[in-house]
Amino acid sequence: MAAGTWQRKDLLGIAELSADEIRLILETAESFSQVAERPIKKVPTLRGKTVVNLFFEASTRTRSSFEIAEKRLSADGLNFSSSGSALSKGESLIDTALNLQAMAPDLIVIRHGAPGAPHLLARRLDAGVINAGDGAHEHPTQALLDAYTIRQHKGRIAGLKIAIVGDIEHSRVVRSNIHLLTKLGAEVTVAGPLTMLPAAVDRLGVRVCHRLEDAIAGADVVMMLRIQLERQSRALFPSTREYFQLFGLTRERLKAAAEDAIVMHPGPMNRGVEIASDVADGPESVILEQVANGVAVRMAVLYLLSGAGEEGV
Amino acid sequence: MSETLIEKGTLLDADQMRRIVRRMAGEIVERNAGVEDLMLVGIRTRGVPLAEALAEEIQTMEGAEVPLGTLDITLYRDDLSTIAPQPVVKGTHFPVDLEDRHIVLCDDVLYTGRTVRAALDHLADYGRPKAVWLAVLIDRGHRELPIQGDVVGETVQTSDLEVIEVSFLKTDGSERVRLLERTVS
């Protein structure tokens, strides 16, 4: 049983959540994963609630996942993208948000390239705000669905050895995951090229390795991060081929991990860059389960936030 | 301002409860002309131990095990926007398919009828039973919807300030029904 109750108006990051709040979301998500197995995959829970999806960056997976979660809870979803909007005509983020607020939404899901953008909205708006990724800062629902998937396979998070490999510097997923996994008692190791390892990352309570083999030795969970090929122009590594040779997860390298290790990836994958195809499609891979669990976790977040801050009876 | 509950008395003790549950089990079997196609479904939280107790009595009477399901109506409530924080969802489970079954929804107290309305909506999302009946240990009146019990343990006249507290051995460590009153100080 999860201890405590949900009292927050917003979900802005994992950093500010307690271990009990994280556990409450994960346990609530378990009930919502049942909904996907029913003949009618819809519950009336959020009927009459309006959710605005504000995506200022391209997103297929996260946006679709939120949309499906909203539909399954019977909420009315409004999709808003920055291209062709008032923002492209010079309106500020705050003014756009205040205009949206005038239409009385209950929740706003926001993805934005600027770290802290969801926090800015949360301070100014009455509606609950969910961070769907802000720059390289946080992506809380991705970390929650990763934790949910790990718990599904391992039954726990405390005491597990978890290796996160790739572009640690520019990944919002890794920040949220480090906060979450260390709060729940996992031993987290990060690895990547020096150009992709932020200074003082060890202050977050993780072990730092510079070789993939060292990071995944004995690991229960191997989480590969996407290499953002668009950053290649900044010459963070010589070539994708060299990256794969040094940091790509191959079947041979995976042998160093625990026998029952699972392989994760937040997607989208670059096959042959950070992960070999036979590993991505292999029995250890839980990558598609992560996607399925994303809907349940986001349903749980929408559900919990929709009741916070109201008058009790 | 704080609200406290004051005990006004015990409506049923453990022996009385057991006798009433035995009678209710008999009524269910009689209504169904046996146990064929029967399934008991307890509405969480205290409808579950009531359904279990009824199933035990039916097993003793008929020598047959009746399928036992649990129903969590949290996601079907019509008052979610007025309660905070959100209640914890514990999940729903049916051991067999609902189609062509006689479902007996079990709950400890029938009050406004809104819980039962939510339970009916929830059942409809899982299938189309042949019939749905309602078994409640206590009917305390004050209905807000046209819903009534088919198998009722005890009917009690209550005021809006009063609270019926049903305790089961499995969930509460004791078996009794108490009448309490809300006082605001």
Side-chain angles (χ1 to χ4, degrees), chain A residues 5-6 31-32 34 38 42-45 49 303-304 306-307 310-311 313, chain B residues 74-76 80-92 122 125-126:
Chain A
T5 53
W6 187 266
S31 305
F32 285 110
Q34 284 185 0
R38 296 187 199 174
K42 203 174 177 86
V43 290
T45 318
K49 299 270 185 187
Y303 167 73
L304 290 168
S306 67
E310 305 268 2
E311 282 299 309
V313 290
Chain B
T74 307
L75 301 177
Y76 290 75
L80 274 179
S81 59
T82 60
I83 51 173
Q86 300 293 49
V88 174
V89 188
K90 295 193 180 77
T92 290
H122 196 352
D125 280 353
Y126 274 90

PDB file of all heavy atoms in Angstrom, chain A residues 5-6 31-32 34 38 42-45 49 303-304 306-307 310-311 313, chain B residues 74-76 80-92 122 125-126:
ATOM      1  N   THR A   5      -1.104  10.575   0.683  1.00  0.00           N
ATOM      2  CA  THR A   5      -2.057  10.896  -0.368  1.00  0.00           C
ATOM      3  C   THR A   5      -1.453  11.985  -1.249  1.00  0.00           C
ATOM      4  O   THR A   5      -0.477  12.617  -0.884  1.00  0.00           O
ATOM      5  CB  THR A   5      -3.373  11.398   0.236  1.00  0.00           C
ATOM      6  OG1 THR A   5      -3.071  12.468   1.138  1.00  0.00           O
ATOM      7  CG2 THR A   5      -4.112  10.299   0.963  1.00  0.00           C
ATOM      8  N   TRP A   6      -2.082  12.197  -2.404  1.00  0.00           N
ATOM      9  CA  TRP A   6      -1.581  13.186  -3.349  1.00  0.00           C
ATOM     10  C   TRP A   6      -2.181  14.549  -3.026  1.00  0.00           C
ATOM     11  O   TRP A   6      -3.392  14.700  -3.000  1.00  0.00           O
ATOM     12  CB  TRP A   6      -1.943  12.764  -4.771  1.00  0.00           C
ATOM     13  CG  TRP A   6      -1.299  13.661  -5.769  1.00  0.00           C
ATOM     14  CD1 TRP A   6      -1.842  14.771  -6.351  1.00  0.00           C
ATOM     15  CD2 TRP A   6       0.026  13.555  -6.269  1.00  0.00           C
ATOM     16  NE1 TRP A   6      -0.917  15.350  -7.190  1.00  0.00           N
ATOM     17  CE2 TRP A   6       0.235  14.621  -7.158  1.00  0.00           C
ATOM     18  CE3 TRP A   6       1.069  12.641  -6.048  1.00  0.00           C
ATOM     19  CZ2 TRP A   6       1.436  14.812  -7.840  1.00  0.00           C
ATOM     20  CZ3 TRP A   6       2.265  12.828  -6.723  1.00  0.00           C
ATOM     21  CH2 TRP A   6       2.432  13.904  -7.601  1.00  0.00           C
ATOM     22  N   SER A  31      -3.789  -0.104 -11.237  1.00  0.00           N
ATOM     23  CA  SER A  31      -5.230  -0.248 -11.485  1.00  0.00           C
ATOM     24  C   SER A  31      -5.595   0.202 -12.891  1.00  0.00           C
ATOM     25  O   SER A  31      -6.493  -0.351 -13.516  1.00  0.00           O
ATOM     26  CB  SER A  31      -6.011   0.589 -10.478  1.00  0.00           C
ATOM     27  OG  SER A  31      -5.638   0.231  -9.188  1.00  0.00           O
ATOM     28  N   PHE A  32      -4.889   1.223 -13.379  1.00  0.00           N
ATOM     29  CA  PHE A  32      -5.217   1.740 -14.704  1.00  0.00           C
ATOM     30  C   PHE A  32      -4.726   0.820 -15.817  1.00  0.00           C
ATOM     31  O   PHE A  32      -5.284   0.829 -16.914  1.00  0.00           O
ATOM     32  CB  PHE A  32      -4.667   3.153 -14.881  1.00  0.00           C
ATOM     33  CG  PHE A  32      -5.458   4.176 -14.132  1.00  0.00           C
ATOM     34  CD1 PHE A  32      -4.940   4.810 -13.020  1.00  0.00           C
ATOM     35  CD2 PHE A  32      -6.744   4.495 -14.517  1.00  0.00           C
ATOM     36  CE1 PHE A  32      -5.688   5.737 -12.310  1.00  0.00           C
ATOM     37  CE2 PHE A  32      -7.506   5.421 -13.821  1.00  0.00           C
ATOM     38  CZ  PHE A  32      -6.976   6.039 -12.718  1.00  0.00           C
ATOM     39  N   GLN A  34      -5.197  -2.194 -15.880  1.00  0.00           N
ATOM     40  CA  GLN A  34      -6.323  -3.130 -16.084  1.00  0.00           C
ATOM     41  C   GLN A  34      -7.280  -2.620 -17.158  1.00  0.00           C
ATOM     42  O   GLN A  34      -7.883  -3.406 -17.879  1.00  0.00           O
ATOM     43  CB  GLN A  34      -7.141  -3.274 -14.801  1.00  0.00           C
ATOM     44  CG  GLN A  34      -6.519  -4.125 -13.732  1.00  0.00           C
ATOM     45  CD  GLN A  34      -7.488  -4.281 -12.565  1.00  0.00           C
ATOM     46  OE1 GLN A  34      -8.601  -3.756 -12.560  1.00  0.00           O
ATOM     47  NE2 GLN A  34      -7.059  -5.020 -11.560  1.00  0.00           N
ATOM     48  N   ARG A  38      -9.556  -4.438 -20.891  1.00  0.00           N
ATOM     49  CA  ARG A  38     -11.003  -4.658 -20.934  1.00  0.00           C
ATOM     50  C   ARG A  38     -11.543  -4.559 -22.353  1.00  0.00           C
ATOM     51  O   ARG A  38     -10.916  -3.942 -23.208  1.00  0.00           O
ATOM     52  CB  ARG A  38     -11.700  -3.568 -20.138  1.00  0.00           C
ATOM     53  CG  ARG A  38     -11.397  -3.554 -18.690  1.00  0.00           C
ATOM     54  CD  ARG A  38     -12.332  -2.532 -18.123  1.00  0.00           C
ATOM     55  NE  ARG A  38     -11.916  -2.045 -16.833  1.00  0.00           N
ATOM     56  CZ  ARG A  38     -12.535  -1.056 -16.219  1.00  0.00           C
ATOM     57  NH1 ARG A  38     -13.545  -0.458 -16.824  1.00  0.00           N
ATOM     58  NH2 ARG A  38     -12.148  -0.653 -15.041  1.00  0.00           N
ATOM     59  N   LYS A  42     -12.296   2.289 -21.461  1.00  0.00           N
ATOM     60  CA  LYS A  42     -12.634   3.660 -21.117  1.00  0.00           C
ATOM     61  C   LYS A  42     -13.377   3.682 -19.796  1.00  0.00           C
ATOM     62  O   LYS A  42     -14.250   2.846 -19.578  1.00  0.00           O
ATOM     63  CB  LYS A  42     -13.535   4.224 -22.232  1.00  0.00           C
ATOM     64  CG  LYS A  42     -13.554   5.740 -22.353  1.00  0.00           C
ATOM     65  CD  LYS A  42     -14.374   6.113 -23.578  1.00  0.00           C
ATOM     66  CE  LYS A  42     -14.505   7.604 -23.725  1.00  0.00           C
ATOM     67  NZ  LYS A  42     -13.401   8.219 -24.447  1.00  0.00           N
ATOM     68  N   VAL A  43     -13.024   4.639 -18.935  1.00  0.00           N
ATOM     69  CA  VAL A  43     -13.757   4.830 -17.685  1.00  0.00           C
ATOM     70  C   VAL A  43     -14.242   6.285 -17.632  1.00  0.00           C
ATOM     71  O   VAL A  43     -13.636   7.153 -18.247  1.00  0.00           O
ATOM     72  CB  VAL A  43     -12.887   4.502 -16.444  1.00  0.00           C
ATOM     73  CG1 VAL A  43     -12.614   3.007 -16.355  1.00  0.00           C
ATOM     74  CG2 VAL A  43     -11.582   5.276 -16.456  1.00  0.00           C
ATOM     75  N   PRO A  44     -15.326   6.538 -16.906  1.00  0.00           N
ATOM     76  CA  PRO A  44     -15.893   7.902 -16.948  1.00  0.00           C
ATOM     77  C   PRO A  44     -15.261   8.876 -15.963  1.00  0.00           C
ATOM     78  O   PRO A  44     -15.791   9.962 -15.750  1.00  0.00           O
ATOM     79  CB  PRO A  44     -17.356   7.649 -16.588  1.00  0.00           C
ATOM     80  CG  PRO A  44     -17.316   6.460 -15.692  1.00  0.00           C
ATOM     81  CD  PRO A  44     -16.168   5.617 -16.147  1.00  0.00           C
ATOM     82  N   THR A  45     -14.137   8.521 -15.386  1.00  0.00           N
ATOM     83  CA  THR A  45     -13.559   9.249 -14.255  1.00  0.00           C
ATOM     84  C   THR A  45     -13.402  10.756 -14.478  1.00  0.00           C
ATOM     85  O   THR A  45     -13.722  11.555 -13.608  1.00  0.00           O
ATOM     86  CB  THR A  45     -12.183   8.652 -13.920  1.00  0.00           C
ATOM     87  OG1 THR A  45     -12.296   7.237 -13.987  1.00  0.00           O
ATOM     88  CG2 THR A  45     -11.705   9.063 -12.550  1.00  0.00           C
ATOM     89  N   LYS A  49     -13.941  17.056 -17.614  1.00  0.00           N
ATOM     90  CA  LYS A  49     -12.669  17.756 -17.388  1.00  0.00           C
ATOM     91  C   LYS A  49     -12.035  18.074 -18.734  1.00  0.00           C
ATOM     92  O   LYS A  49     -12.148  17.285 -19.680  1.00  0.00           O
ATOM     93  CB  LYS A  49     -11.704  16.881 -16.593  1.00  0.00           C
ATOM     94  CG  LYS A  49     -12.198  16.488 -15.215  1.00  0.00           C
ATOM     95  CD  LYS A  49     -11.784  17.494 -14.168  1.00  0.00           C
ATOM     96  CE  LYS A  49     -12.172  17.020 -12.763  1.00  0.00           C
ATOM     97  NZ  LYS A  49     -11.935  18.048 -11.770  1.00  0.00           N
ATOM     98  N   TYR A 303      -5.353  11.400 -13.150  1.00  0.00           N
ATOM     99  CA  TYR A 303      -6.367  11.099 -12.125  1.00  0.00           C
ATOM    100  C   TYR A 303      -6.020  11.767 -10.786  1.00  0.00           C
ATOM    101  O   TYR A 303      -6.858  12.446 -10.182  1.00  0.00           O
ATOM    102  CB  TYR A 303      -6.456   9.581 -11.956  1.00  0.00           C
ATOM    103  CG  TYR A 303      -7.218   9.125 -10.741  1.00  0.00           C
ATOM    104  CD1 TYR A 303      -8.600   9.237 -10.679  1.00  0.00           C
ATOM    105  CD2 TYR A 303      -6.554   8.566  -9.651  1.00  0.00           C
ATOM    106  CE1 TYR A 303      -9.295   8.813  -9.557  1.00  0.00           C
ATOM    107  CE2 TYR A 303      -7.239   8.127  -8.537  1.00  0.00           C
ATOM    108  CZ  TYR A 303      -8.613   8.258  -8.492  1.00  0.00           C
ATOM    109  OH  TYR A 303      -9.292   7.837  -7.382  1.00  0.00           O
ATOM    110  N   LEU A 304      -4.782  11.589 -10.361  1.00  0.00           N
ATOM    111  CA  LEU A 304      -4.387  12.137  -9.059  1.00  0.00           C
ATOM    112  C   LEU A 304      -4.416  13.667  -9.068  1.00  0.00           C
ATOM    113  O   LEU A 304      -4.883  14.288  -8.115  1.00  0.00           O
ATOM    114  CB  LEU A 304      -2.989  11.628  -8.670  1.00  0.00           C
ATOM    115  CG  LEU A 304      -2.916  10.142  -8.313  1.00  0.00           C
ATOM    116  CD1 LEU A 304      -1.475   9.668  -8.235  1.00  0.00           C
ATOM    117  CD2 LEU A 304      -3.625   9.861  -6.992  1.00  0.00           C
ATOM    118  N   SER A 306      -6.220  15.600 -10.928  1.00  0.00           N
ATOM    119  CA  SER A 306      -7.553  16.164 -11.162  1.00  0.00           C
ATOM    120  C   SER A 306      -8.326  16.333  -9.861  1.00  0.00           C
ATOM    121  O   SER A 306      -9.326  17.056  -9.831  1.00  0.00           O
ATOM    122  CB  SER A 306      -8.357  15.279 -12.113  1.00  0.00           C
ATOM    123  OG  SER A 306      -8.632  14.054 -11.483  1.00  0.00           O
ATOM    124  N   GLY A 307      -7.876  15.711  -8.797  1.00  0.00           N
ATOM    125  CA  GLY A 307      -8.604  15.842  -7.533  1.00  0.00           C
ATOM    126  C   GLY A 307      -7.877  16.674  -6.505  1.00  0.00           C
ATOM    127  O   GLY A 307      -8.407  16.954  -5.441  1.00  0.00           O
ATOM    128  N   GLU A 310      -8.818  20.688  -4.505  1.00  0.00           N
ATOM    129  CA  GLU A 310     -10.250  21.002  -4.429  1.00  0.00           C
ATOM    130  C   GLU A 310     -10.690  21.022  -2.969  1.00  0.00           C
ATOM    131  O   GLU A 310     -10.003  20.542  -2.089  1.00  0.00           O
ATOM    132  CB  GLU A 310     -11.057  19.900  -5.158  1.00  0.00           C
ATOM    133  CG  GLU A 310     -10.631  19.674  -6.581  1.00  0.00           C
ATOM    134  CD  GLU A 310     -11.434  20.510  -7.552  1.00  0.00           C
ATOM    135  OE1 GLU A 310     -12.278  21.279  -7.092  1.00  0.00           O
ATOM    136  OE2 GLU A 310     -11.187  20.382  -8.753  1.00  0.00           O
ATOM    137  N   GLU A 311     -11.868  21.549  -2.740  1.00  0.00           N
ATOM    138  CA  GLU A 311     -12.440  21.502  -1.398  1.00  0.00           C
ATOM    139  C   GLU A 311     -12.876  20.078  -1.089  1.00  0.00           C
ATOM    140  O   GLU A 311     -13.555  19.443  -1.892  1.00  0.00           O
ATOM    141  CB  GLU A 311     -13.671  22.420  -1.317  1.00  0.00           C
ATOM    142  CG  GLU A 311     -13.322  23.877  -1.198  1.00  0.00           C
ATOM    143  CD  GLU A 311     -12.514  24.178   0.059  1.00  0.00           C
ATOM    144  OE1 GLU A 311     -12.944  23.765   1.139  1.00  0.00           O
ATOM    145  OE2 GLU A 311     -11.442  24.788  -0.052  1.00  0.00           O
ATOM    146  N   VAL A 313     -15.004  17.102   1.005  1.00  0.00           N
ATOM    147  CA  VAL A 313     -16.336  17.041   1.614  1.00  0.00           C
ATOM    148  C   VAL A 313     -16.343  16.005   2.723  1.00  0.00           C
ATOM    149  O   VAL A 313     -15.530  15.106   2.722  1.00  0.00           O
ATOM    150  CB  VAL A 313     -17.437  16.669   0.580  1.00  0.00           C
ATOM    151  CG1 VAL A 313     -17.669  17.806  -0.393  1.00  0.00           C
ATOM    152  CG2 VAL A 313     -17.113  15.396  -0.161  1.00  0.00           C
TER     153      VAL A 313
ATOM    154  N   THR B  74     -14.286   3.283  -7.714  1.00  0.00           N
ATOM    155  CA  THR B  74     -13.649   4.606  -7.592  1.00  0.00           C
ATOM    156  C   THR B  74     -13.694   5.403  -8.889  1.00  0.00           C
ATOM    157  O   THR B  74     -14.023   6.582  -8.896  1.00  0.00           O
ATOM    158  CB  THR B  74     -12.177   4.442  -7.161  1.00  0.00           C
ATOM    159  OG1 THR B  74     -12.139   3.639  -5.996  1.00  0.00           O
ATOM    160  CG2 THR B  74     -11.544   5.786  -6.853  1.00  0.00           C
ATOM    161  N   LEU B  75     -13.348   4.755 -10.010  1.00  0.00           N
ATOM    162  CA  LEU B  75     -13.248   5.473 -11.290  1.00  0.00           C
ATOM    163  C   LEU B  75     -14.621   5.799 -11.873  1.00  0.00           C
ATOM    164  O   LEU B  75     -14.712   6.498 -12.880  1.00  0.00           O
ATOM    165  CB  LEU B  75     -12.443   4.654 -12.295  1.00  0.00           C
ATOM    166  CG  LEU B  75     -11.018   4.320 -11.861  1.00  0.00           C
ATOM    167  CD1 LEU B  75     -10.341   3.443 -12.886  1.00  0.00           C
ATOM    168  CD2 LEU B  75     -10.225   5.592 -11.632  1.00  0.00           C
ATOM    169  N   TYR B  76     -15.673   5.303 -11.253  1.00  0.00           N
ATOM    170  CA  TYR B  76     -17.031   5.515 -11.766  1.00  0.00           C
ATOM    171  C   TYR B  76     -17.848   6.442 -10.871  1.00  0.00           C
ATOM    172  O   TYR B  76     -19.021   6.667 -11.114  1.00  0.00           O
ATOM    173  CB  TYR B  76     -17.748   4.173 -11.929  1.00  0.00           C
ATOM    174  CG  TYR B  76     -17.166   3.349 -13.057  1.00  0.00           C
ATOM    175  CD1 TYR B  76     -15.958   2.702 -12.907  1.00  0.00           C
ATOM    176  CD2 TYR B  76     -17.809   3.264 -14.285  1.00  0.00           C
ATOM    177  CE1 TYR B  76     -15.392   1.977 -13.944  1.00  0.00           C
ATOM    178  CE2 TYR B  76     -17.263   2.538 -15.328  1.00  0.00           C
ATOM    179  CZ  TYR B  76     -16.054   1.900 -15.152  1.00  0.00           C
ATOM    180  OH  TYR B  76     -15.493   1.192 -16.184  1.00  0.00           O
ATOM    181  N   LEU B  80     -16.008  12.864  -8.017  1.00  0.00           N
ATOM    182  CA  LEU B  80     -14.549  12.984  -7.958  1.00  0.00           C
ATOM    183  C   LEU B  80     -14.080  14.432  -7.929  1.00  0.00           C
ATOM    184  O   LEU B  80     -13.059  14.741  -7.351  1.00  0.00           O
ATOM    185  CB  LEU B  80     -13.903  12.269  -9.148  1.00  0.00           C
ATOM    186  CG  LEU B  80     -13.657  10.776  -8.948  1.00  0.00           C
ATOM    187  CD1 LEU B  80     -13.054  10.189 -10.195  1.00  0.00           C
ATOM    188  CD2 LEU B  80     -12.764  10.511  -7.755  1.00  0.00           C
ATOM    189  N   SER B  81     -14.821  15.305  -8.605  1.00  0.00           N
ATOM    190  CA  SER B  81     -14.375  16.703  -8.653  1.00  0.00           C
ATOM    191  C   SER B  81     -14.594  17.406  -7.318  1.00  0.00           C
ATOM    192  O   SER B  81     -14.122  18.508  -7.110  1.00  0.00           O
ATOM    193  CB  SER B  81     -15.107  17.444  -9.761  1.00  0.00           C
ATOM    194  OG  SER B  81     -16.490  17.384  -9.522  1.00  0.00           O
ATOM    195  N   THR B  82     -15.320  16.787  -6.413  1.00  0.00           N
ATOM    196  CA  THR B  82     -15.599  17.448  -5.146  1.00  0.00           C
ATOM    197  C   THR B  82     -14.853  16.808  -3.978  1.00  0.00           C
ATOM    198  O   THR B  82     -15.025  17.215  -2.846  1.00  0.00           O
ATOM    199  CB  THR B  82     -17.110  17.400  -4.826  1.00  0.00           C
ATOM    200  OG1 THR B  82     -17.499  16.033  -4.743  1.00  0.00           O
ATOM    201  CG2 THR B  82     -17.922  18.094  -5.878  1.00  0.00           C
ATOM    202  N   ILE B  83     -14.038  15.819  -4.273  1.00  0.00           N
ATOM    203  CA  ILE B  83     -13.287  15.206  -3.176  1.00  0.00           C
ATOM    204  C   ILE B  83     -11.797  15.331  -3.443  1.00  0.00           C
ATOM    205  O   ILE B  83     -11.356  15.247  -4.575  1.00  0.00           O
ATOM    206  CB  ILE B  83     -13.654  13.715  -2.961  1.00  0.00           C
ATOM    207  CG1 ILE B  83     -13.585  12.948  -4.272  1.00  0.00           C
ATOM    208  CG2 ILE B  83     -14.987  13.570  -2.305  1.00  0.00           C
ATOM    209  CD1 ILE B  83     -13.767  11.475  -4.107  1.00  0.00           C
ATOM    210  N   ALA B  84     -11.056  15.586  -2.424  1.00  0.00           N
ATOM    211  CA  ALA B  84      -9.607  15.678  -2.544  1.00  0.00           C
ATOM    212  C   ALA B  84      -9.007  15.163  -1.248  1.00  0.00           C
ATOM    213  O   ALA B  84      -9.555  15.392  -0.192  1.00  0.00           O
ATOM    214  CB  ALA B  84      -9.194  17.122  -2.749  1.00  0.00           C
ATOM    215  N   PRO B  85      -7.894  14.477  -1.295  1.00  0.00           N
ATOM    216  CA  PRO B  85      -7.266  13.976  -2.511  1.00  0.00           C
ATOM    217  C   PRO B  85      -8.034  12.784  -3.087  1.00  0.00           C
ATOM    218  O   PRO B  85      -8.925  12.259  -2.432  1.00  0.00           O
ATOM    219  CB  PRO B  85      -5.883  13.559  -2.028  1.00  0.00           C
ATOM    220  CG  PRO B  85      -6.096  13.203  -0.590  1.00  0.00           C
ATOM    221  CD  PRO B  85      -7.179  14.119  -0.080  1.00  0.00           C
ATOM    222  N   GLN B  86      -7.638  12.378  -4.288  1.00  0.00           N
ATOM    223  CA  GLN B  86      -8.348  11.281  -4.938  1.00  0.00           C
ATOM    224  C   GLN B  86      -8.185   9.980  -4.148  1.00  0.00           C
ATOM    225  O   GLN B  86      -7.113   9.686  -3.646  1.00  0.00           O
ATOM    226  CB  GLN B  86      -7.807  11.051  -6.357  1.00  0.00           C
ATOM    227  CG  GLN B  86      -7.937  12.244  -7.278  1.00  0.00           C
ATOM    228  CD  GLN B  86      -9.376  12.582  -7.606  1.00  0.00           C
ATOM    229  OE1 GLN B  86     -10.204  12.671  -6.722  1.00  0.00           O
ATOM    230  NE2 GLN B  86      -9.669  12.801  -8.849  1.00  0.00           N
ATOM    231  N   PRO B  87      -9.263   9.201  -4.082  1.00  0.00           N
ATOM    232  CA  PRO B  87      -9.143   7.926  -3.380  1.00  0.00           C
ATOM    233  C   PRO B  87      -8.238   6.960  -4.128  1.00  0.00           C
ATOM    234  O   PRO B  87      -8.101   7.045  -5.346  1.00  0.00           O
ATOM    235  CB  PRO B  87     -10.582   7.401  -3.348  1.00  0.00           C
ATOM    236  CG  PRO B  87     -11.307   8.155  -4.400  1.00  0.00           C
ATOM    237  CD  PRO B  87     -10.602   9.452  -4.596  1.00  0.00           C
ATOM    238  N   VAL B  88      -7.614   6.073  -3.365  1.00  0.00           N
ATOM    239  CA  VAL B  88      -6.721   5.088  -3.973  1.00  0.00           C
ATOM    240  C   VAL B  88      -7.566   4.046  -4.716  1.00  0.00           C
ATOM    241  O   VAL B  88      -8.574   3.571  -4.204  1.00  0.00           O
ATOM    242  CB  VAL B  88      -5.863   4.401  -2.889  1.00  0.00           C
ATOM    243  CG1 VAL B  88      -5.044   3.265  -3.485  1.00  0.00           C
ATOM    244  CG2 VAL B  88      -4.950   5.424  -2.238  1.00  0.00           C
ATOM    245  N   VAL B  89      -7.166   3.728  -5.940  1.00  0.00           N
ATOM    246  CA  VAL B  89      -7.882   2.736  -6.739  1.00  0.00           C
ATOM    247  C   VAL B  89      -7.286   1.366  -6.427  1.00  0.00           C
ATOM    248  O   VAL B  89      -6.079   1.182  -6.498  1.00  0.00           O
ATOM    249  CB  VAL B  89      -7.714   3.034  -8.249  1.00  0.00           C
ATOM    250  CG1 VAL B  89      -8.615   2.139  -9.080  1.00  0.00           C
ATOM    251  CG2 VAL B  89      -8.011   4.490  -8.541  1.00  0.00           C
ATOM    252  N   LYS B  90      -8.153   0.416  -6.079  1.00  0.00           N
ATOM    253  CA  LYS B  90      -7.617  -0.897  -5.696  1.00  0.00           C
ATOM    254  C   LYS B  90      -7.862  -1.967  -6.750  1.00  0.00           C
ATOM    255  O   LYS B  90      -7.361  -3.067  -6.659  1.00  0.00           O
ATOM    256  CB  LYS B  90      -8.225  -1.337  -4.360  1.00  0.00           C
ATOM    257  CG  LYS B  90      -7.826  -0.435  -3.203  1.00  0.00           C
ATOM    258  CD  LYS B  90      -8.182  -1.097  -1.885  1.00  0.00           C
ATOM    259  CE  LYS B  90      -7.792  -0.232  -0.709  1.00  0.00           C
ATOM    260  NZ  LYS B  90      -8.731   0.873  -0.500  1.00  0.00           N
ATOM    261  N   GLY B  91      -8.689  -1.668  -7.733  1.00  0.00           N
ATOM    262  CA  GLY B  91      -8.852  -2.619  -8.838  1.00  0.00           C
ATOM    263  C   GLY B  91     -10.072  -3.518  -8.709  1.00  0.00           C
ATOM    264  O   GLY B  91     -10.667  -3.664  -7.644  1.00  0.00           O
ATOM    265  N   THR B  92     -10.412  -4.096  -9.859  1.00  0.00           N
ATOM    266  CA  THR B  92     -11.593  -4.930  -9.998  1.00  0.00           C
ATOM    267  C   THR B  92     -11.162  -6.303 -10.478  1.00  0.00           C
ATOM    268  O   THR B  92     -10.221  -6.420 -11.241  1.00  0.00           O
ATOM    269  CB  THR B  92     -12.543  -4.258 -11.024  1.00  0.00           C
ATOM    270  OG1 THR B  92     -13.081  -3.085 -10.424  1.00  0.00           O
ATOM    271  CG2 THR B  92     -13.659  -5.171 -11.482  1.00  0.00           C
ATOM    272  N   HIS B 122     -20.035   0.259 -14.040  1.00  0.00           N
ATOM    273  CA  HIS B 122     -18.781  -0.492 -14.106  1.00  0.00           C
ATOM    274  C   HIS B 122     -19.027  -1.890 -14.671  1.00  0.00           C
ATOM    275  O   HIS B 122     -18.308  -2.350 -15.567  1.00  0.00           O
ATOM    276  CB  HIS B 122     -18.199  -0.567 -12.694  1.00  0.00           C
ATOM    277  CG  HIS B 122     -16.761  -0.969 -12.651  1.00  0.00           C
ATOM    278  ND1 HIS B 122     -16.066  -1.407 -13.761  1.00  0.00           N
ATOM    279  CD2 HIS B 122     -15.875  -0.998 -11.630  1.00  0.00           C
ATOM    280  CE1 HIS B 122     -14.825  -1.691 -13.403  1.00  0.00           C
ATOM    281  NE2 HIS B 122     -14.692  -1.458 -12.120  1.00  0.00           N
ATOM    282  N   ASP B 125     -19.412  -2.147 -18.422  1.00  0.00           N
ATOM    283  CA  ASP B 125     -18.180  -2.076 -19.216  1.00  0.00           C
ATOM    284  C   ASP B 125     -17.496  -3.432 -19.337  1.00  0.00           C
ATOM    285  O   ASP B 125     -16.579  -3.606 -20.137  1.00  0.00           O
ATOM    286  CB  ASP B 125     -17.205  -1.062 -18.592  1.00  0.00           C
ATOM    287  CG  ASP B 125     -17.574   0.366 -18.960  1.00  0.00           C
ATOM    288  OD1 ASP B 125     -18.494   0.544 -19.785  1.00  0.00           O
ATOM    289  OD2 ASP B 125     -16.951   1.300 -18.423  1.00  0.00           O
ATOM    290  N   TYR B 126     -17.897  -4.390 -18.527  1.00  0.00           N
ATOM    291  CA  TYR B 126     -17.283  -5.719 -18.571  1.00  0.00           C
ATOM    292  C   TYR B 126     -18.118  -6.742 -19.333  1.00  0.00           C
ATOM    293  O   TYR B 126     -17.621  -7.791 -19.705  1.00  0.00           O
ATOM    294  CB  TYR B 126     -17.034  -6.228 -17.146  1.00  0.00           C
ATOM    295  CG  TYR B 126     -15.720  -5.758 -16.575  1.00  0.00           C
ATOM    296  CD1 TYR B 126     -15.635  -4.567 -15.873  1.00  0.00           C
ATOM    297  CD2 TYR B 126     -14.551  -6.492 -16.763  1.00  0.00           C
ATOM    298  CE1 TYR B 126     -14.431  -4.127 -15.352  1.00  0.00           C
ATOM    299  CE2 TYR B 126     -13.345  -6.069 -16.238  1.00  0.00           C
ATOM    300  CZ  TYR B 126     -13.289  -4.883 -15.535  1.00  0.00           C
ATOM    301  OH  TYR B 126     -12.092  -4.457 -15.025  1.00  0.00           O
TER     302      TYR B 126
END
